[in-house]
Amino acid sequence: MGKFNFKLRQNRHQVDETVTAEGAPGFAREPRAELFLLGVSNMVGEDTFYEDAAGRDARFRELIAAVAVTDPDWFARFVSWLRTGAMLRSAAVVAALEGARAQVAAGVPGSRAIVDAALQRADEPGEALAYWLGRYGRALPKPVKRGIADAVARLYHERSLLKYDSESCAVRFGDVIDLTHPAAEDERQGDLFRHALDRRHKRDNPPPASLTTLAARAELMGMPVEQRRAVIDPAVLGAAGMTWEALAGWRQAAMDAAAWEAIIPSMGYLALLRNLRNFDQAGVRDAVAESVAQKLADPGEVARSRVLPMRFLSAYNAAPSLRWAYALEKALQHALVNVPALDGRTLILIDTSGSMTSSFSKDGTLRCWDAATVFGLALAARAQDATVVSFSNASRVFPAVVGESVLAAVRRFKDGGYFYGGGTETEKAVRGHYDRHDRVVILTDEQAHWHGSEDVAAAVPAQVPVYTWNLAGYRVGHTPVVGNRHTFGGLSDAAFAMVPLIEAGSHDQWPF
């Protein structure tokens, strides 16, 4: 679902910049580091525990404008990685557009390619235009216009038109074509552009003969309602570019097992992942379910889907049948390919304080502490010798079970009462559990309580690396990023690969 094709939200309050949100001394970050942490954790337009959406988004825009001009090469790499490495859509779109605006004003070249790189799905050119029009009006700088046009040529085809060109969107495919004037890659795409304009302006012209998928869809739409439930041939539905959402509306009846089995071959990876419960409730046959499970567990499909690791946890929690469990665990492991196998002894501290209940998205199915637990337990599963601790006001070691899957361990973590929901006493947890470990990893939002120390990692010898994994991207950190103190962040596993690089002596600070 788009975030920018509707009215912008209003500001409520700002966050204190001088200390952490819980009163401990804070440590400022240099602009690129602050932008990196905010970018990889920012679900644009959504509140977090300590920072409202408007204030957070304003801080994001200010950082983008500064960094895009002062370090344009770094910024270009960052935006491309944000979309394809960190797998974040909205943050990448905002970063590209706000960066382009700042670069155009400063006379810095290169923003056309940045805008193009940020748009990787066919609804995103419209999202980008909706964002720009909502904030800055119809005057489009040439790099923005041309970057969006480049993406349109890559992304617009018959199936994307059927899926994403909805009347509920303020900016339709035809609007994007009108405003950016993309060059069609071939005659068929030119026909598609003209048809999109006809749709938008309600011109009663038939689709060109070259657009066979649209013709097949039109034939289905002309079928009497009472005959539609009998159409269960996957080839017929596939030829018409029918999605499961479109099929449910077209049938004007509940999706039964036959309907699901007919559309499953045409469903994308994320659509399958989100509908496991529906498959079970409709009674989809085991043979069909096995084909779905095989696709979910396929490493190539996982990589192409760019699904965030926590989505597998959400699917695991939602699906009532155990027939999906092994496939989801394998998929999660493929999605966590960058989590390293660490030697020696590793202390992993998972922040389960109240502020870590902040949602990643409006549906509330996944929260910061879900991500922290998935990452922490995945890291522990691959480490040679790991001590996993849940901490808030209190702290407790989470005992390992040999051979346990990550998803099963996450469920045991939750069912065992390891989510505390109190304050963030990070220093106390570090002091209580550090015992000659070779490294410390803290998964947190960094909003520590004040207990008299200058640094939550003060209990750890200077020569021992302390890695903070920030899940929220607030401005103020709980430890200075100097020496063996490092801060990463994000909702994917992408930056985990930095840990062995740092310990091998690499000076590259970024995962791109």
Side-chain angles (χ1 to χ4, degrees):
M1 179 179 288
K3 286 178 180 270
F4 309 125
N5 244 341
F6 46 79
K7 294 180 181 178
L8 296 175
R9 299 166 176 83
Q10 301 298 313
N11 194 5
R12 292 203 314 271
H13 61 273
Q14 298 293 330
V15 67
D16 185 354
E17 300 176 14
T18 60
V19 294
T20 71
E22 293 295 343
F27 299 90
R29 316 180 203 274
E30 63 101 352
R32 290 183 306 173
E34 186 179 344
L35 176 59
F36 174 82
L37 281 179
L38 182 55
V40 296
S41 56
N42 191 17
M43 295 299 187
V44 177
E46 295 175 12
D47 296 337
T48 58
F49 194 87
Y50 292 115
E51 195 172 20
D52 76 329
R56 187 175 178 86
D57 293 347
R59 179 161 67 92
F60 193 37
R61 291 193 299 271
E62 291 167 5
L63 287 166
I64 291 164
V67 175
V69 172
T70 57
D71 196 342
D73 292 338
W74 182 94
F75 182 75
R77 289 185 289 119
F78 168 65
V79 173
S80 178
W81 176 85
L82 191 63
R83 182 64 183 91
T84 59
M87 300 177 288
L88 295 174
R89 297 178 58 238
S90 300
V93 169
V94 173
L97 295 178
E98 294 290 348
R101 181 171 181 265
Q103 289 181 340
V104 167
V108 176
S111 50
R112 174 179 178 172
I114 295 173
V115 172
D116 180 28
L119 307 177
Q120 296 293 322
R121 205 173 74 176
D123 59 334
E124 291 169 8
E127 279 282 281
L129 269 181
Y131 177 85
W132 187 276
L133 295 171
R135 291 203 64 84
Y136 304 117
R138 293 178 65 87
L140 286 173
K142 284 185 179 180
V144 172
K145 180 184 294 187
R146 291 172 178 169
I148 294 175
D150 292 342
V152 166
R154 283 190 293 107
L155 299 170
Y156 278 15
H157 48 74
E158 289 180 80
R159 292 176 185 273
S160 63
L161 181 83
L162 289 169
K163 184 172 184 177
Y164 294 117
D165 187 38
S166 168
E167 291 185 359
S168 64
C169 295
V171 179
R172 303 278 300 277
F173 275 37
D175 297 316
V176 177
I177 294 166
D178 261 339
L179 290 169
T180 65
H181 307 293
E185 293 188 331
D186 53 33
E187 185 176 348
R188 187 175 182 181
Q189 192 177 53
D191 290 342
L192 179 75
F193 288 174
R194 285 186 289 275
H195 180 66
L197 289 167
D198 286 343
R199 282 167 59 109
R200 183 65 179 105
H201 299 296
K202 302 187 185 301
R203 293 193 283 259
D204 192 20
N205 296 327
S210 64
L211 304 181
T212 56
T213 303
L214 294 180
R217 175 67 71 88
E219 184 177 350
L220 286 183
M221 295 306 294
M223 183 179 292
V225 173
E226 60 271 15
Q227 298 178 16
R228 295 178 181 180
R229 293 188 65 183
V231 180
I232 55 173
D233 184 344
V236 171
L237 298 177
M242 191 71 79
T243 64
W244 74 269
E245 300 98 330
L247 179 63
W250 176 72
R251 284 166 51 88
Q252 298 186 27
M255 292 283 286
D256 55 19
W260 280 118
E261 291 178 7
I263 200 63
I264 278 173
S266 300
M267 291 175 69
Y269 191 93
L270 184 56
L272 292 173
L273 192 64
R274 288 175 169 171
N275 280 287
L276 300 182
R277 173 186 287 274
N278 290 330
F279 299 160
D280 286 340
Q281 291 178 341
V284 167
R285 290 173 297 163
D286 284 344
V288 177
E290 184 176 350
S291 70
V292 173
Q294 288 176 350
K295 184 171 183 178
L296 292 179
D298 183 87
E301 294 285 352
V302 174
R304 283 188 291 273
S305 74
R306 298 173 180 170
V307 171
L308 290 170
M310 295 78 65
R311 290 298 175 193
F312 299 105
L313 172 62
S314 181
Y316 178 75
N317 289 337
S321 171
L322 288 177
R323 62 184 176 176
W324 313 112
Y326 182 56
L328 290 173
E329 177 65 27
K330 290 178 68 176
L332 178 65
Q333 293 298 336
H334 296 319
L336 294 170
V337 67
N338 291 311
V339 174
L342 300 175
D343 59 8
R345 300 181 64 235
T346 305
L347 174 60
I348 301 169
L349 295 144
I350 300 173
D351 179 356
T352 58
S353 62
S355 61
M356 290 288 284
T357 62
S358 291
S359 296
F360 288 144
S361 57
K362 287 184 177 179
D363 62 12
T365 58
L366 293 169
R367 302 180 181 277
C368 282
W369 63 17
D370 291 315
T373 307
V374 167
F375 291 142
L377 294 181
L379 192 65
R382 299 191 188 181
Q384 180 181 5
D385 183 1
T387 305
V388 177
V389 174
S390 173
F391 76 92
S392 178
N393 296 114
S395 64
R396 179 162 54 132
V397 172
F398 179 70
V401 173
V402 176
E404 184 177 41
S405 73
V406 173
L407 288 173
V410 171
R411 177 164 288 180
R412 181 166 61 89
F413 194 96
K414 180 179 180 180
D415 293 345
Y418 286 86
F419 288 120
Y420 287 119
T424 313
E425 300 198 21
T426 314
E427 179 198 357
K428 178 181 173 183
V430 173
R431 291 186 181 278
H433 296 279
Y434 176 74
D435 182 18
R436 300 184 300 279
H437 290 86
D438 296 295
R439 67 187 62 81
V440 177
V441 179
I442 309 173
L443 299 112
T444 178
D445 61 7
E446 294 196 82
Q447 300 311 294
H449 281 271
W450 171 233
H451 283 286
S453 173
E454 294 180 358
D455 183 349
V456 300
V460 180
Q463 70 271 19
V464 175
V466 176
Y467 302 100
T468 296
W469 194 271
N470 185 299
L471 275 300
Y474 294 119
R475 183 191 297 271
V476 177
H478 66 190
T479 184
V481 183
V482 295
N484 263 330
R485 306 302 184 249
H486 310 276
T487 302
F488 306 132
L491 309 179
S492 80
D493 69 331
F496 265 118
M498 298 301 296
V499 174
L501 290 177
I502 288 171
E503 296 189 1
S506 172
H507 297 290
D508 188 1
Q509 301 179 57
W510 314 106
F512 48 81

